Amino acid sequence: MTATVALPIALVIPVVASALLMVLGRRGSRWTDAVAQAATVSTAVLLIAVAAGWTRGPAVHWIAGWQPTSGAIPGIPLVGDLPATVTAAVAAVLVTASLVYSVRYFEQVRPLYPVLLLTLLTGMVGFVLSGDLFNLFVFYEVIGVSAYALAGYRIHHEGPLQGAINFAVSNTLGSLLLLAGGVFVYARTGTPNLAEAGTVLAGSDAGPLVLAAYVLIAAGLFVKAAVVPFHFWHADAHAVAPTPVCALFAAIMIQLGVVVFARVHWVVFADALASHVDALRAILTAAATLTAVVAAVMATLQNHIKRLLAFSSVAHSGVILAGIAMLDPDGATGSGLYLVAHAATKAALFLGLGIVLHRYGSVDEGELHGRGRSTPVVGVMFTIGGLALAGTPPFGITLGKQLIDEALLHHGHAWLVVCLVLVSGLTAGAVVRVATRVFLGWGRPAASHEAADAEEADEYETEEAHGRTPAVMAVPMALLLVAALAAGIVPGVRSVAASAGHALTSPDTYQALVLGGEAVEAVIPATPGLTLKGVAIGSAGFAVALLVAAGALMPRRRPRWLGHLAQAGSAAVTPLRAVHSGHVGDYVAWLLTGVAVLGTGVAVLLR
């Protein structure tokens, strides 16, 4: 099979399966489960085959066969280069894990549930494969529509409805920003095609129209990526969505925003903005730092475990963006590896949390105190996942962060390396704190600030507590942790990450593939394995995580200075809590503020 054939089939399979499920839905869940899982597995296999080079020919498909002729580009391309296919394959694998897990998670699943998951997969695959700006907008909307419906799956209750509305309003504004930016690019270049637009803009000065397009597209994709202050919808959506769906939202959906931003930056704008690369690096670094720090602090304040993991995902998206912000292949390589390892780890944590909810009927840290003692295996896996988030060797997050740190040090950002160690330690410490309280019963029960919300949300997922954990729920969690470990120790993974990082940052390679149908083989330098410096930085994150967890569990044994520091920090974060109000009007105001700040920064620093 050629890659030209495999790419559209991978995109169409979930669509066809969705239609089939609408017909087979009345035949019972056994049929719907089988069809949905077969569709996602087939999609994953095809994408992996293209990524691994098992298919023939250039990895680009022109929809309806409308290929470039005589300098004109009438068609729409699906571009399956390495960064796109690997990211899409990760999405397909996670949707498969979520479907398998859901077989025994719900007491009763309507046919609409797998249909929505398949539609979400279609949107995610199309989003990363799309080669033009208008179809980025279309697939952004496909992701959004299915994700809004999944967040409000229990639509007859108030909580899911409100969370889905907040989600929908914020992301709809994001998609409109992306569309507006695409219109500006079309006005300047006469094409929505990414490769052709980049070719037209190459070598020209970036005028106001190009800068405005850059700001609008970046803001639109930052909404999807939950970059602060475009992130407010994210935790609310997690609080009300079914837990297997949260695994997809937190592990891959928001990270797609970072990947596509990187794609559009390098293919369309990199040459036109080459003289402003230092200013862009400063802007993106500020956004990444703000995202990582704010979300890490918010994660430590949560006793609603879904919200905790949601803010943790935003913080780690900030880490991924920090690697992209260095605007070089090494940073992109680290971000790519970090994304894959974090996706496996975070999905495993959410599946573990789903087991807790399935067994004990709550996701509130205070209510669950000590109740997890009867599920020690899940407790061990949950703790391992938490420590992996800290960058504990030899998980893939450690190696990805090592590569990001090296890029940061190369550009003189040693302070950010220290900052990201603290971010990793804070988020991991919050997870370890939960694990020790829930599964070991250590420390005093946590005061529950969101107990009412937690109870309200929990009632919608599980109708009763269960006495045992089905294997189809525990095995996916274990396999995902194994995958997170393999990303750090299997040499082939590092080579793939290096190739993907160089492909992502090479507009010439992308343009040759799309416009000329030529797959350019890049010479990739050998990527080193885990170094002593990487182990030391990862161990520092591990130590911070243990200190954070211990400080929360044993407040009376803290040194006096640490207690004063904690009190000062508690007062400082009060405004931070207040701005996460849950009101959609506030979220829209912050989103527009973010657009204004980003636009002002670009206008001032790139003038």
Side-chain angles (χ1 to χ4, degrees):
M1 178 181 288
T2 63
T4 302
V5 174
L7 290 174
I9 292 178
L11 186 63
V12 167
I13 284 176
V15 178
V16 174
S18 299
L20 189 59
L21 289 184
M22 297 304 290
V23 177
L24 294 177
R26 295 178 181 177
R27 288 178 172 264
S29 60
R30 184 177 301 177
W31 283 94
T32 59
D33 293 339
V35 171
Q37 292 166 19
T40 57
V41 169
S42 301
T43 299
V45 169
L46 284 171
L47 291 168
I48 291 171
V50 176
W54 298 337
T55 53
R56 303 187 305 276
V60 58
H61 172 82
W62 293 90
I63 294 176
W66 292 355
Q67 300 188 27
T69 54
S70 304
I73 302 180
I76 299 170
L78 296 175
V79 184
D81 66 347
L82 192 55
T85 47
V86 168
T87 307
V90 170
V93 169
L94 292 182
V95 173
T96 303
S98 179
L99 280 168
V100 172
Y101 182 91
S102 298
V103 168
R104 298 295 301 275
Y105 180 75
F106 296 105
E107 284 85 1
Q108 184 176 7
V109 180
R110 289 172 288 171
L112 184 61
Y113 178 76
V115 169
L116 290 172
L117 283 182
L118 290 170
T119 309
L120 178 65
L121 176 60
T122 302
M124 291 193 291
V125 172
F127 195 48
V128 293
L129 295 184
S130 180
D132 75 84
L133 286 164
F134 180 74
N135 281 283
L136 281 181
F137 163 75
V138 171
F139 285 114
Y140 192 123
E141 284 294 291
V142 173
I143 294 173
V145 170
S146 51
Y148 310 150
L150 286 166
Y153 184 64
R154 310 281 182 171
I155 198 68
H156 49 287
H157 295 281
E158 182 180 353
L161 179 60
Q162 181 178 353
I165 289 175
N166 290 354
F167 187 2
V169 170
S170 299
N171 276 255
T172 299
L173 288 173
S175 69
L176 292 176
L177 290 170
L178 175 63
L179 179 62
V183 170
F184 281 21
V185 170
Y186 186 84
R188 174 64 179 80
T189 65
T191 177
N193 184 282
L194 298 180
E196 188 180 21
T199 303
V200 173
L201 292 177
S204 63
D205 293 331
L209 196 61
V210 174
L211 294 181
Y214 188 82
V215 169
L216 291 171
I217 291 173
L221 294 173
F222 283 176
V223 173
K224 181 63 71 185
V227 172
V228 174
F230 306 102
H231 71 291
F232 288 93
W233 60 272
H234 187 63
D236 287 356
H238 280 73
V240 298
T243 305
V245 175
C246 293
L248 303 176
F249 287 180
I252 189 64
M253 188 183 75
I254 65 171
Q255 286 77 11
L256 294 183
V258 179
V259 172
V260 173
F261 165 74
R263 166 69 79 203
V264 175
H265 168 84
W266 267 294
V267 174
V268 179
F269 296 103
D271 282 337
L273 301 177
S275 60
H276 303 290
V277 67
D278 290 336
L280 281 175
R281 186 176 295 122
I283 292 170
L284 296 175
T285 300
T289 306
L290 184 66
T291 301
V293 171
V294 168
V297 172
M298 284 301 299
T300 64
L301 300 176
Q302 309 302 314
N303 295 326
H304 188 295
I305 306 173
K306 277 190 178 182
R307 288 183 179 273
L308 186 158
L309 293 177
F311 279 113
S312 167
S313 289
V314 176
H316 287 274
S317 286
V319 178
I320 295 169
L321 182 59
I324 298 295
M326 295 303 102
L327 301 178
D328 65 17
D330 294 337
T333 298
S335 292
L337 185 53
Y338 195 102
L339 184 152
V340 173
H342 174 264
T345 306
K346 188 55 60 68
L349 285 170
F350 263 108
L351 297 189
L353 177 60
I355 292 173
V356 171
L357 180 55
H358 187 260
R359 291 289 296 267
Y360 310 114
S362 176
V363 292
D364 183 81
E365 186 179 351
E367 290 186 11
L368 289 168
H369 188 267
R371 296 174 65 187
R373 289 191 182 99
S374 57
T375 53
V377 175
V378 177
V380 169
M381 291 195 291
F382 197 85
T383 305
I384 291 173
L387 293 176
L389 288 181
T392 305
F395 284 91
I397 286 181
T398 316
L399 183 56
K401 190 165 182 302
Q402 171 187 298
L403 299 173
I404 293 173
D405 290 342
E406 289 173 356
L408 296 176
L409 292 172
H410 177 74
H411 293 284
H413 295 318
W415 61 272
L416 187 51
V417 174
V418 176
C419 181
L420 295 186
V421 168
L422 295 176
V423 165
S424 300
L426 284 172
T427 55
V431 175
V432 173
R433 181 198 75 202
V434 167
T436 50
R437 276 182 172 152
V438 172
F439 296 102
L440 296 176
W442 289 4
R444 292 189 299 178
S448 179
H449 299 290
E450 301 91 5
D453 294 339
E455 290 172 0
E456 182 183 28
D458 299 347
E459 289 174 358
Y460 305 145
E461 288 193 50
T462 55
E463 296 177 1
E464 60 182 15
H466 297 78
R468 57 182 293 273
T469 301
V472 294
M473 294 176 63
V475 171
M477 180 184 184
L479 292 178
L480 287 169
L481 288 175
V482 170
L485 178 63
I489 61 176
V490 176
V493 176
R494 294 197 294 271
S495 300
V496 171
S499 299
H502 283 73
L504 187 64
T505 56
S506 174
D508 293 340
T509 302
Y510 187 89
Q511 289 159 0
L513 176 63
V514 176
L515 303 179
E518 301 174 359
V520 178
E521 293 289 340
V523 178
I524 308 301
T527 303
L530 203 56
T531 64
L532 286 177
K533 184 187 291 184
V535 171
I537 293 176
S539 299
F542 172 79
V544 172
L546 294 184
L547 287 174
V548 169
L553 294 171
M554 299 179 289
R556 294 182 179 178
R557 296 187 180 183
R558 290 187 302 214
R560 183 172 298 178
W561 65 270
L562 191 57
H564 293 319
L565 184 63
Q567 288 182 352
S570 178
V573 300
T574 300
L576 199 57
R577 282 183 179 275
V579 298
H580 292 80
S581 62
H583 298 296
V584 67
D586 294 347
Y587 294 176
V588 171
W590 280 109
L591 190 155
L592 297 177
T593 301
V595 176
V597 171
L598 182 61
T600 303
V602 169
V604 171
L605 295 178
L606 276 67
R607 68 182 186 279

